[in-house]
Amino acid sequence: MTTTTTKPGLAPKLTALTKVVELGPGRLDKKLLNEANSLLLRAGDRLKLSSEHTVVALAGGTGSGKSSLFNSISGLELSPTGVRRPTTARTHACVWGLEGAGPLLDWLQIQWRHRFSRASALDKGDSQLHGLILLDLPDHDSIRALTDTEADRLIGLADLVVWVLDPQKYADASTHRRYVTELAGHEAVTVFALNQADRLTAEELAELVIDLNDLLRREGVEHPSVVPTSALTGRGVESLKSVVATAVARRRAAIQKLEADLHRLEQRLSQAMPLGEALSAPSSVDEARRMGLTDALCDAVGVPAVGEAMENVYAERSSRWVGWPYPRWFAKFRSDPLKSLRLEDVSEEIRGISTSSVSAQSAEVANAVQALADGLSMGMSPVWRTAVQQAARSRSGQLPQALTEDLTEVAPQLDRVPGWWRVLKVWQYFLVAAFVAGIAWLAVGLLMPGQLPASLELLGDTATLPWVGLMMASVLGLGALSGIASRNFVELGASRERERLEREMRRRVGAVSATMVVEPVERELGRHHAFYTAMRDLSV
């Protein structure tokens, strides 16, 4: 049974890349996302396949001698060679140790008729190469390659690539521009075989090796591995086999290739989405900003105006019930300012205040939402800043209407009469009756002294009149004091009703804004934080 071992850190990086791919749509370039997704698929497939085999691909241009070198390494005439170019139309594979290699060769899409087992061809194979799958790729610069991407595909899938270069075309632009410039960080899984060394003198070969090394370094390959070879004479073939054998023995080329691919992709992702101070951005909407949004929306929908109107109307209506009756009666002889205010329809007026405020101040609602988004997205990259703003505005078109409908439900019931108003009215009219009785007593005592029957003699007794006057004065004073006290209680009650109403309206405004603004924004903030956390884990 084949087991797969990965370098500590590779699995977490692949997990981080998975998260980046999951959260990247709409934020990252589609081409970059597709490359990341392809790498994840390739890594997942390769890590599930045999870790006991190392896939080494011989790649190069037309006439570089790949097939001859392939035959020389394998010791067999497996891949056709000749003058006709390109000679290799399909990839050939030679396997040292066929057991367990089948699924890997299937994944590489190597045709059955082009698979060869080194152990079955000879009674005794090279033990140092056990586990090697050597591929002879089609020429990447042939006319056929324009319509057949097999070479490019297998260069990407191979664990280690041996670039076979010849003295005439070792600096060929098609190779360097398309492939070598992409090899930065892949030195551990890339070898350059300067083939056909038999055509050069020792001095020419030395100069060519130096020039090739300099060229590769200029193109970003910091530590190039260059091996001069000659498939014709066998020169350098053993050196190349030794390099390959070392990679095969370590059983780490596949992991190193994935690490190098991952590192290169991480650099491109970092250029597109620099980490910077991204993780210092908020991942949720804090309480202060929630309250700020609620305050702004309450101002936009006129909550203070509704509360103030309710308080004033409450106080004015109470005068019909708890004011000292005599001033009210006298006021009837004056013009009534309340009629011009149409307070008899005050409940509908209050509802009108709430409704008109929401619809009329929709611009302020939008400004409040925009202010929240701007504050939260400050310092983010433009694409994420736009995403947060779009999330905040995602339901802003429905927000004014939602606030209107919700606040209309809590319009105050201004026709409600508190029980203590009724009790106080009874008490005040009792005092009115007592004052009227006192006036009657005084009238009788002053106009009919001593003329009443014995049963009513007390009413006509002039000696009681001072006490009656004192009682009347006390009634007037008590009525005035109760009127003043009741007004104070009314004002206190009105203030409490206003606070209750505004508190309930604020609660509803906060609930609506949480559902329609805060929640979408927090989802985007959470996505932003998770994305950059994955980017950080990927770059560790």
Side-chain angles (χ1 to χ4, degrees):
M1 179 178 178
T2 300
T3 59
T4 300
T5 59
T6 64
K7 177 183 178 181
L10 179 60
K13 283 177 177 285
L14 291 174
T15 301
L17 182 60
T18 301
K19 198 68 175 178
V20 169
V21 170
E22 177 186 336
L23 300 173
R27 311 293 179 265
L28 281 171
D29 178 70
K30 288 184 178 180
K31 182 179 179 181
L32 199 54
L33 274 176
N34 289 337
E35 290 182 18
N37 196 52
S38 296
L39 175 56
L40 286 172
L41 292 174
R42 184 167 75 250
D45 290 341
R46 182 63 185 93
L47 293 174
K48 287 187 294 186
L49 297 169
S50 175
S51 62
E52 300 299 319
H53 289 84
T54 301
V55 180
V56 177
L58 298 181
T62 305
S64 61
K66 289 187 290 67
S67 297
S68 298
L69 196 57
F70 176 82
N71 293 336
S72 182
I73 293 173
S74 64
L76 300 170
E77 291 295 325
L78 301 178
S79 188
T81 61
V83 178
R84 183 173 58 89
R85 297 179 178 180
T87 301
T88 307
R90 288 298 175 193
T91 302
H92 292 68
C94 183
V95 183
W96 280 257
L98 193 58
E99 184 179 357
L104 184 53
L105 291 167
D106 292 340
W107 178 64
L108 294 170
Q109 298 179 25
I110 306 299
Q111 297 178 2
W112 279 94
R113 65 177 179 273
H114 295 148
R115 302 179 186 182
F116 306 96
S117 173
R118 181 63 172 79
S120 64
L122 298 176
D123 293 333
K124 184 177 181 180
D126 295 325
S127 59
Q128 61 177 349
L129 296 178
H130 184 78
L132 169 64
I133 297 178
L134 186 64
L135 305 181
D136 181 19
L137 305 186
D139 302 328
H140 67 78
D141 58 354
S142 68
I143 296 176
R144 183 184 183 90
L146 297 177
T147 57
D148 189 347
T149 60
E150 183 172 6
D152 286 348
R153 180 180 64 82
L154 289 171
I155 288 171
L157 296 180
D159 302 329
L160 186 147
V161 178
V162 177
W163 284 99
V164 182
L165 308 174
D166 64 86
Q168 290 77 29
K169 296 167 59 180
Y170 73 94
D172 181 58
S174 66
T175 299
H176 289 263
R177 185 172 57 250
R178 290 177 56 190
Y179 301 104
V180 176
T181 54
E182 299 293 323
L183 293 178
H186 286 68
E187 289 91 339
V189 289
T190 306
V191 178
F192 297 89
L194 186 56
N195 201 26
Q196 302 175 4
D198 55 283
R199 298 183 179 182
L200 304 172
T201 65
E203 292 77 9
E204 291 173 335
L205 181 59
E207 289 181 6
L208 209 59
V209 169
I210 293 173
D211 187 56
L212 178 57
N213 274 281
D214 291 341
L215 177 61
L216 293 173
R217 290 191 183 95
R218 288 196 300 270
E219 292 176 338
V221 184
E222 295 183 3
H223 306 288
S225 176
V226 178
V227 181
T229 60
S230 172
L232 182 63
T233 66
R235 178 181 178 180
V237 173
E238 289 301 319
S239 298
L240 181 59
K241 289 174 67 174
S242 178
V243 172
V244 172
T246 300
V248 171
R250 289 177 178 174
R251 302 287 191 267
R252 292 204 65 254
I255 300 301
Q256 288 176 316
K257 174 65 180 302
L258 291 175
E259 289 173 342
D261 290 345
L262 197 58
H263 178 68
R264 183 177 63 189
L265 181 61
E266 181 271 323
Q267 289 180 321
R268 296 181 61 193
L269 288 170
S270 296
Q271 290 176 356
M273 288 286 181
L275 183 58
E277 300 297 323
L279 286 176
S280 63
S283 58
S284 61
V285 181
D286 58 88
E287 190 61 29
R289 284 194 171 91
R290 287 174 182 261
M291 292 180 63
L293 176 63
T294 300
D295 290 340
L297 291 177
C298 284
D299 290 340
V301 301
V303 168
V306 173
E308 183 178 359
M310 188 281 306
E311 184 177 16
N312 293 335
V313 171
Y314 185 97
E316 291 297 337
R317 286 191 68 257
S318 68
S319 64
R320 304 177 186 178
W321 292 85
V322 300
W324 184 225
Y326 291 114
R328 278 206 314 273
W329 292 338
F330 292 143
K332 290 182 178 180
F333 295 101
R334 301 194 306 268
S335 60
D336 188 359
L338 298 183
K339 290 183 179 180
S340 64
L341 296 178
R342 296 185 301 125
L343 292 177
E344 63 275 6
D345 298 326
V346 73
S347 179
E348 292 302 320
E349 293 290 336
I350 292 298
R351 293 177 184 272
I353 289 174
S354 300
T355 304
S356 62
S357 294
V358 173
S359 59
Q361 303 298 328
S362 57
E364 291 189 22
V365 172
N367 289 339
V369 171
Q370 186 65 36
L372 175 74
D374 289 343
L376 290 168
S377 61
M378 187 175 297
M380 291 184 179
S381 64
V383 64
W384 283 103
R385 187 176 179 85
T386 300
V388 172
Q389 293 171 347
Q390 289 177 344
R393 297 193 301 264
S394 61
R395 302 182 66 185
S396 60
Q398 309 165 19
L399 185 57
Q401 183 62 28
L403 290 171
T404 299
E405 295 174 355
D406 214 44
L407 294 183
T408 301
E409 296 178 3
V410 294
Q413 298 178 356
L414 296 175
D415 55 349
R416 181 177 61 86
V417 178
W420 69 273
W421 286 13
R422 299 180 186 277
V423 173
L424 189 57
K425 188 171 186 178
V426 171
W427 163 250
Q428 288 176 334
Y429 274 96
F430 169 75
L431 294 178
V432 168
F435 184 75
V436 170
I439 290 176
W441 193 332
L442 285 176
V444 171
L446 293 174
L447 299 177
M448 296 182 296
Q451 299 179 17
L452 297 175
S455 59
L456 300 175
E457 184 177 328
L458 182 63
L459 296 177
D461 188 355
T462 56
T464 62
L465 296 183
W467 296 104
V468 172
L470 179 62
M471 179 196 71
M472 292 174 63
S474 299
V475 167
L476 287 175
L478 186 59
L481 287 175
S482 66
I484 294 172
S486 65
R487 295 298 297 174
N488 290 335
F489 281 119
V490 165
E491 291 178 2
L492 181 61
S495 178
R496 288 177 177 174
E497 284 293 314
R498 175 179 181 173
E499 291 177 0
R500 181 200 63 78
L501 176 64
E502 291 187 355
R503 185 167 56 251
E504 176 62 15
M505 294 179 78
R506 279 184 59 84
R507 185 190 69 78
R508 288 180 175 249
V509 169
V512 171
S513 65
T515 301
M516 304 187 71
V517 180
V518 174
E519 288 181 7
V521 168
E522 284 198 325
R523 282 195 294 270
E524 196 60 40
L525 292 177
R527 182 177 179 178
H528 173 269
H529 186 76
F531 178 87
Y532 278 102
T533 298
M535 287 288 292
R536 180 198 61 194
D537 295 342
L538 186 61
S539 62
V540 172

